[in-house]
């Protein structure tokens, strides 16, 4: 019973010092870090089974989101950063599921390629869209292992990439306000027109940001090929970012992991727990998932469009949004 309590506290992110105070009330004089680690090792079997389970039993997975986070591990007497690669999928029933968790020494193309090859070997199939940031190794790995799947460049990461091209903080703020409005349109033609208008506006104040936004257009607007009810959750990588924060929250008290194995244990156990929580509800309702297969539903840009008029209106909307933001800030 004591070992179970220690393992649960370890998973919840309780520090060794607090665990020591806890067990002293039970008559145990001291509890070292090594003892906590050995007791938490009971999680290893459960974590390994979760990380290597077949995916074809709950698949196919229509949508996938992937991201990495950096944590510190002690190796050979040195503290080195390592990358935790995590992928989340949404299956045909609309349920979210943690697809995989791996730890690599660097977030390079080889690490992501091995990660996605493991996912496909375990049964990942049916993927229509993968959402992630624009990391070159990640994008190449997606193209190599999941042919036929579209890639959506996260709109939030794209906005940050554009803001980084601005020099002053005032200009960064203006760039962010322009780009953030682009993806609020309710139909594909309006979103596309606002995207083009944003590129023109950025060309006048920050040409380098305009170049980034213009080059990213095909990948940043890939979500428009899906039903509008899916857009809000497909255009960003927020679902994976929120999942990564669970690992960060539990690992904050550790700061530096004594080994890679201990990091895999904690990250895997946290993701296993998160996966169980997600099974209680759907991420997309059954009705919304059925919209993917409704041939009569309008997708993308339907019919002829007066682009000159629409882009002029889009520019007015963007300028009105900037004026409103300035007035609110001044107030």
């Amino acid at each position: 019973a004591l070992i179970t309590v220690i393992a649960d506290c370890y998973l919840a992110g309780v520090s060794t010092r607090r665990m020591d105070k806890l067990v002293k009330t039970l008559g145990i004089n001291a509890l070292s870090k090594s003892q906590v680690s050995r007791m938490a090792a009971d999680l290893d079997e459960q974590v390994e089974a979760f990380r290597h389970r077949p995916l074809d039993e709950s698949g196919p997975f229509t949508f996938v989101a992937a991201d990495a986070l950096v944590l510190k591990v002690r190796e050979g007497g040195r503290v080195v950063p390592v990358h935790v690669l995590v992928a989340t999928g949404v299956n045909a029933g609309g349920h979210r599921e943690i697809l995989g968790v791996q730890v690599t020494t660097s977030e390079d193309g080889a690490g992501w390629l091995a990660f996605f090859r493991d996912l496909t070997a375990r049964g990942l199939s049916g993927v229509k869209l993968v959402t992630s940031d624009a990391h070159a190794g990640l994008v190449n790995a997606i193209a190599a292992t999941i042919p036929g799947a579209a890639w959506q460049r996260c709109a939030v990461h794209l906005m940050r990439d554009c803001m980084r091209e601005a020099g002053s903080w005032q200009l960064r703020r203006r760039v962010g306000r322009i780009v953030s409005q682009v993806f609020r349109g309710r139909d594909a033609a309006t979103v596309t027109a606002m995207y083009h208008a944003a590129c023109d506006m950025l060309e006048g104040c920050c040409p380098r940001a305009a170049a980034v936004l213009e080059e990213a257009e095909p990948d940043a607007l890939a979500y428009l090929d899906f039903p509008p009810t899916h857009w809000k959750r497909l255009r960003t990588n927020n679902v994976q970012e929120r999942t990564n924060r669970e690992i960060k929250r539990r690992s904050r008290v550790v700061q530096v992991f004594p080994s890679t194995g201990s990091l895999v244990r904690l990250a895997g156990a946290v993701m296993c727990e998160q996966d169980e929580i997600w099974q209680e509800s759907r991420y997309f309702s059954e009705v919304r998932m059925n919209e993917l297969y409704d041939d009569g539903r309008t997708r993308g840009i339907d019919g002829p469009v007066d682009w000159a008029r629409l882009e002029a209106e889009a520019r007015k909307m963007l300028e009105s949004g900037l004026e409103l933001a300035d007035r609110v800030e001044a107030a």
Side-chain angles (χ1 to χ4, degrees):
L2 176 63
I3 291 175
T4 301
V5 171
I6 296 299
D8 288 342
C9 290
Y10 173 84
L11 178 58
V14 179
S15 65
T16 304
R17 182 178 301 177
R18 290 186 177 182
M19 283 194 226
D20 190 35
K21 293 181 180 180
L22 173 65
V23 298
K24 281 181 179 178
T25 63
L26 302 177
I28 299 175
N29 293 328
L31 190 67
S32 67
K33 292 182 179 180
S34 59
Q35 287 174 316
V36 172
S37 181
R38 287 196 297 270
M39 291 180 181
D42 287 353
L43 296 169
D44 288 348
E45 184 177 350
Q46 177 185 356
V47 169
E48 288 304 302
F50 173 73
R51 292 178 61 231
H52 297 98
R53 75 194 189 283
L55 298 176
D56 50 3
E57 296 179 359
S58 54
F61 291 91
T62 308
F63 306 121
V64 173
D67 196 18
L69 67 156
V70 182
L71 297 173
K72 294 181 179 179
V73 171
R74 192 177 302 278
E75 289 184 356
R78 299 181 299 113
V79 176
V80 297
V82 295
H83 295 75
V84 182
L85 311 182
V86 186
T88 300
V90 179
N91 62 21
H95 291 279
R96 281 178 292 179
E97 190 170 324
I98 301 296
L99 302 179
V101 182
Q102 283 190 14
V103 177
T104 62
T105 54
S106 62
E107 190 187 359
D108 56 5
W112 278 115
L113 185 60
F115 179 70
F116 274 98
R117 281 178 175 172
D118 175 71
L119 296 182
T120 54
R122 287 164 44 211
L124 177 64
S125 63
V127 180
K128 295 182 178 294
L129 182 73
V130 182
T131 305
S132 72
D133 58 21
H135 187 281
L138 172 54
V139 176
N140 292 335
I142 293 171
T145 57
I146 315 179
W151 174 59
Q152 168 65 40
R153 183 170 179 173
C154 175
V156 176
H157 284 85
L158 175 59
M159 181 182 68
R160 294 171 183 168
D161 293 340
C162 292
M163 292 173 65
R164 275 194 287 268
E165 299 298 330
S168 63
W169 68 269
Q170 294 95 337
L171 184 56
R172 286 198 297 270
R173 182 176 58 184
R174 181 175 179 83
V175 170
R177 287 174 176 174
I178 292 174
V179 178
S180 63
Q181 297 182 72
V182 169
F183 304 99
R184 298 175 185 173
R186 296 186 177 182
D187 61 85
T190 301
V191 173
T192 305
M194 293 182 73
Y195 198 99
H196 295 166
C199 290
D200 293 338
M201 293 177 66
L202 291 179
E203 187 67 37
C205 63
C206 186
R208 292 191 299 179
V212 172
L213 190 64
E214 186 174 359
E215 182 183 4
E217 180 179 354
D219 303 316
L221 301 183
Y223 71 95
L224 297 179
D225 292 330
F226 294 85
T229 54
H230 293 64
W231 288 359
K232 186 176 181 179
R233 290 181 171 177
L234 295 183
R235 67 191 179 208
T236 69
N237 206 23
N238 288 349
V239 60
Q240 189 59 62
E241 293 279 350
R242 178 64 183 86
T243 305
N244 289 352
R245 283 203 296 270
E246 285 298 312
I247 298 178
K248 293 179 181 179
R249 183 172 67 86
R250 311 293 181 89
S251 63
R252 190 173 297 120
V253 297
V254 181
Q255 295 184 351
V256 179
F257 287 85
S259 65
T260 302
S262 61
L263 172 56
V264 173
R265 178 189 306 147
L266 178 63
V270 170
M271 292 295 93
C272 183
E273 180 184 45
Q274 185 65 55
D275 188 79
E276 292 177 357
I277 294 173
W278 282 347
Q279 301 310 309
E280 299 174 359
S281 61
R282 295 175 185 266
Y283 190 60
F284 286 111
S285 66
E286 186 176 1
V287 173
R288 290 190 176 183
M289 291 304 294
N290 289 336
E291 290 177 0
L292 290 169
Y293 311 101
D294 185 359
D295 296 333
R297 183 174 294 273
T298 301
R299 302 177 190 177
I301 300 174
D302 183 34
V305 178
D306 185 354
W307 288 110
R309 178 188 61 80
L310 195 57
E311 289 182 14
E313 294 177 355
R315 187 180 182 91
K316 290 180 181 179
M317 287 189 286
L318 294 176
E319 291 174 346
S320 298
L322 290 177
E323 292 176 1
L324 178 60
D326 291 339
R327 288 201 301 268
V328 170
E329 184 177 2

